[in-house]
Amino acid sequence: MSSLDDLYRRVIMDHYQRPRNKGELDNGDISIELNNPTCGDRISLQMNVEHGMIKDAKFLGEGCSISLASASMMTESVKGLTIDQSLHLVDLFSRMMQGEEIDTEEFPIEDIEALTGVAKFPARIKCATLAWKALEKGVKQ
Amino acid sequence: MNPWKKDFPILFQQVNEHPLVYLDSAATSQKPNRVIEQVAAYYQGYNSNVHRGVHTLGTKATDAYEGARDKVQRFIHAKKREEIIFTRGTTTSLNIVARSYALVNCKAGDEILLSPTEHHANLIPWQQVAKQTGAKLIYMPLESDSTILLEKVRPLITNKTKIVAIQHVSNVLGTINPVAELAKLVHEVGGIITVDGAQSVPHMKVDVQELDIDFLAFSGHKMMGPTGIGVLYGKEHLLNAMEPVEFGGEMIDHVDLENATWKELPWKFEGGTPIIAGAIGLGAAIDYLQEIGMDQVEAHDRKLTTYALSKLQEMDGIRIFGPLENRMGAVTFNLDNIHPHDVATVLDSQGIAVRAGHHCCQPLMRLLGETATARASFYLYNDEEDIDQLVKGLQKTKEYFGHVFLG
Ligand SMILES: Cc1ncc(COP(=O)(O)O)c(C=O)c1O
């Protein structure tokens, strides 16, 4: 089950069981809901943006280990980034999911690297990208 | 080994280095050699358009296409071949009823009675009818095991009820709805019943005259036929009074610059070049099923469902949805603390194909209190061994997640 192990690394399980930034912001500037209509996963993401910089981000979600771990890592990554920087990460993440070799060190947290294994499971890529799609939609609002 | 499995070439392959165990027939069934060969024979030997021209291949294609209609008629015991309309599938068939019958016959204050377990294909068309006509959607109450009780539905059928729209067999729970009784009740108040047979027609004998239903929709791909072909059955007097939904070639009688008249049934509903290869494939699937006998097909599916329910019930940490008896075709469940996508991925790594998600039944998922479930569904080519593999796979899934969780 070695490719499975790649998919379900300890880090992913850790984020799934103890998601970071789970909850709602009292008065978020940006609030987005996104779902994956084919499987029912959903995320609601809230962010505070000041002077073009993401100050805070929180999410609530329903979904599998991959989608929730990815949301947890995404919120951790974007805090303190400018909108442009966050959009760059959205692009990087999507390329990573397409199996492209990318420099994971560009992400502010190293846990992201654990999600590279998802690229080998085409049916699960949508799970991993949901939170990043919500981020993209939110900052483009 | 199961005596029919050998007829399904796709089943003899390795997936992720394990023999394939296909438990997703409620999504789409596999096809026997017979169907694949007859579709190929059409393309290799007599591919032609139907109902036009006089050449030999065209006549052969027309005979085969119309012959498939006769097979469908006999299969569901329709009174006349004119009552069989070929469509793209269940979804298209139900939309034709909604648009061409319901939009015309429903008005504000009328009621459309549905079950909350409906597939989106038998829900959203009615929502649209309700929005456009002012008719009201009324939902049947569900028992704690997700079945409906006729006694509780009876009072909901009144002279306001214009349409009862219900699935014959649930694609999530495998429950069998009392369609004949509902037909009788709604006819007493002057309404009609339209039945989603997507999950019943493949698995059991469905006799539209015995059930006395007004419309029946089903899909070829769920009953061993090709994708892209389905059927709308309707009682002749209803279909005759309905306007076509699609206009163009093949469905017209006389055309001048301002006006046109329609062909008679069934062709007035089959605008454009029809799904010729699909109909031929569906006809071959019906031949295959009828040679085995629908009683035997049903008995086999029920036996497997009962076996699966008993085996899964023996497991710890599993929640099984729906009643524990009188169901067939599908078993839906969740493992505690493991999301069904994760279950399906670990099973897939062992070559076992199940479906995970909302199964196009979001309202039902909400009633069950789940966002998604895992579903194993069975057909003629499955056997007890497949279910034993599933149980083993689920045990491995639990061990695997126990292991990663605890590190
Ligand atoms: C009960 C039920 N109704 C309708 C459908 C829709 O069938 P199709 O997608 O072939 O139109 C399905 C299949 O998914 C089904 O299971």
Side-chain angles (χ1 to χ4, degrees):
Chain A
M1 291 211 207
S2 69
S3 61
L4 262 195
D5 289 332
D6 280 350
L7 183 64
Y8 293 115
R9 300 269 282 275
R10 276 263 282 292
V11 204
I12 294 180
M13 288 304 145
D14 181 54
H15 278 268
Y16 177 47
Q17 290 190 300
R18 282 181 290 277
R20 329 293 197 259
N21 307 308
K22 190 163 181 187
E24 284 176 295
L25 292 177
D26 287 339
N27 39 14
D29 304 323
I30 296 177
S31 173
I32 323 103
E33 295 228 4
L34 206 60
N35 64 347
N36 178 347
T38 54
C39 65
D41 281 4
R42 69 176 76 226
I43 181 171
S44 106
L45 172 68
Q46 293 182 311
M47 290 181 286
N48 274 329
V49 178
E50 260 174 49
H51 309 302
M53 182 183 282
I54 300 171
K55 285 282 179 205
D56 204 357
K58 276 191 190 284
F59 80 98
L60 286 173
E62 280 165 4
C64 59
S65 56
I66 305 293
S67 80
L68 295 182
S70 182
S72 167
M73 292 181 199
M74 183 279 289
T75 50
E76 266 206 308
S77 303
V78 296
K79 277 197 232 179
L81 297 191
T82 65
I83 304 279
D84 282 349
Q85 285 170 327
S86 73
L87 285 174
H88 175 63
L89 292 191
V90 169
D91 177 55
L92 213 56
F93 191 82
S94 133
R95 282 168 32 211
M96 181 174 122
M97 286 300 110
Q98 282 153 32
E100 259 182 59
E101 287 272 340
I102 55 132
D103 182 5
T104 51
E105 288 188 1
E106 284 197 53
F107 287 95
I109 61 165
E110 62 182 20
D111 291 2
I112 295 275
E113 200 251 321
L115 287 171
T116 49
V118 177
K120 277 185 268 162
F121 291 79
R124 305 301 299 278
I125 293 173
K126 275 195 192 137
C127 309
T129 49
L130 182 66
W132 298 83
K133 292 238 164 78
L135 168 67
E136 179 179 24
K137 196 171 160 208
V139 297
K140 282 185 172 168
Q141 262 175 16
Chain B
M1 195 175 79
N2 172 321
W4 303 291
K5 185 171 175 177
K6 64 174 188 334
D7 300 334
F8 296 81
I10 200 173
L11 298 173
F12 298 87
Q13 65 175 298
Q14 304 274 312
V15 169
N16 295 319
E17 289 136 46
H18 292 77
L20 169 64
V21 176
Y22 186 76
L23 296 176
D24 196 19
S25 294
T28 199
S29 66
Q30 298 303 348
K31 325 300 174 200
N33 273 321
R34 167 102 59 108
V35 168
I36 300 165
E37 285 160 11
Q38 294 208 11
V39 171
Y42 162 70
Y43 282 126
Q44 286 169 350
Y46 60 103
N47 173 53
S48 261
N49 214 323
V50 293
H51 304 140
R52 352 180 141 165
V54 291
H55 58 72
T56 304
L57 296 192
T59 307
K60 226 177 148 188
T62 304
D63 287 350
Y65 178 71
E66 292 301 333
R69 197 187 309 276
D70 296 332
K71 289 177 187 177
V72 174
Q73 180 206 342
R74 287 193 294 270
F75 190 59
I76 62 169
H77 196 219
K79 218 178 264 170
K80 295 185 162 183
R81 68 190 311 279
E82 287 78 5
E83 296 175 321
I84 306 299
I85 317 285
F86 282 126
T87 69
R88 211 166 65 76
T90 307
T91 304
T92 308
S93 298
L94 292 168
N95 273 280
I96 293 173
V97 180
R99 272 164 68 184
S100 175
Y101 180 85
L103 273 185
V104 177
N105 288 288
C106 290
K107 55 181 189 312
D110 288 346
E111 294 181 352
I112 299 170
L113 184 63
L114 309 161
S115 124
T117 61
E118 294 310 312
H119 187 282
H120 296 160
N122 197 28
L123 169 62
I124 301 165
W126 307 115
Q127 290 178 351
Q128 294 301 111
V129 169
K131 282 188 186 141
Q132 289 177 45
T133 62
K136 226 171 124 190
L137 303 183
I138 307 285
Y139 286 95
M140 304 173 187
L142 279 194
E143 299 307 296
S144 56
D145 64 357
S146 304
T147 56
I148 59 169
L149 260 191
L150 210 54
E151 294 83 81
K152 294 202 188 158
V153 176
R154 205 184 305 262
L156 298 177
I157 301 182
T158 69
N159 54 17
K160 287 187 187 160
T161 312
K162 282 282 151 6
I163 297 171
V164 171
I166 190 157
Q167 53 190 194
H168 197 177
V169 169
S170 159
N171 60 311
V172 175
L173 304 165
T175 43
I176 305 159
N177 285 317
V179 162
E181 290 82 355
L182 290 168
K184 193 158 173 282
L185 290 173
V186 73
H187 289 152
E188 279 166 12
V189 298
I192 61 124
I193 183 167
T194 181
V195 176
D196 172 354
Q199 299 293 346
S200 62
V201 175
H203 296 275
M204 60 202 260
K205 200 176 110 201
V206 175
D207 179 329
V208 292
Q209 293 188 66
E210 197 178 299
L211 296 171
D212 194 19
I213 53 182
D214 301 288
F215 293 106
L216 174 71
F218 56 98
S219 299
H221 70 95
K222 292 187 200 281
M223 51 189 288
M224 305 186 182
T227 52
I229 183 80
V231 172
L232 170 63
Y233 158 82
K235 283 185 181 164
E236 188 184 20
H237 72 279
L238 295 173
L239 291 174
N240 262 331
M242 285 157 59
E243 281 290 297
V245 175
E246 288 190 327
F247 304 93
E250 301 273 4
M251 51 77 66
I252 41 80
D253 179 23
H254 176 83
V255 180
D256 62 32
L257 287 177
E258 307 298 333
N259 287 298
T261 54
W262 318 144
K263 263 191 193 160
E264 70 272 34
L265 285 176
W267 303 293
K268 79 169 183 186
F269 286 102
E270 295 181 1
T273 296
I275 311 145
I276 306 164
I280 291 168
L282 175 58
I286 287 176
D287 287 344
Y288 180 83
L289 284 167
Q290 281 195 315
E291 277 166 29
I292 292 160
M294 288 313 286
D295 290 340
Q296 188 160 355
V297 173
E298 174 174 350
H300 178 80
D301 294 349
R302 279 186 187 257
K303 189 181 74 179
L304 284 185
T305 309
T306 306
Y307 182 76
L309 283 168
S310 75
K311 284 284 162 187
L312 291 176
Q313 267 179 286
E314 288 168 10
M315 289 183 64
D316 291 328
I318 188 168
R319 306 191 297 290
I320 301 171
F321 304 104
L324 292 173
E325 52 192 25
N326 195 28
R327 57 189 278 173
M328 64 178 196
V331 175
T332 296
F333 57 90
N334 268 336
L335 296 183
D336 291 344
N337 302 320
I338 312 178
H339 192 280
H341 289 169
D342 295 321
V343 173
T345 295
V346 181
L347 290 177
D348 182 56
S349 74
Q350 298 161 63
I352 305 167
V354 300
R355 172 108 189 253
H358 54 57
H359 315 290
C360 298
C361 289
Q362 291 186 18
L364 173 59
M365 290 296 119
R366 257 164 247 137
L367 284 174
L368 297 174
E370 308 283 328
T371 53
T373 63
R375 176 186 71 189
S377 52
F378 319 112
Y379 210 178
L380 194 68
Y381 36 74
N382 292 120
D383 52 25
E384 273 95 349
E385 205 175 299
D386 293 336
I387 292 162
D388 293 339
Q389 289 300 325
L390 170 69
V391 171
K392 250 194 240 163
L394 289 172
Q395 249 133 16
K396 273 196 199 147
T397 309
K398 285 172 57 178
E399 280 162 29
Y400 184 78
F401 273 86
H403 170 73
V404 267
F405 276 139
L406 302 173

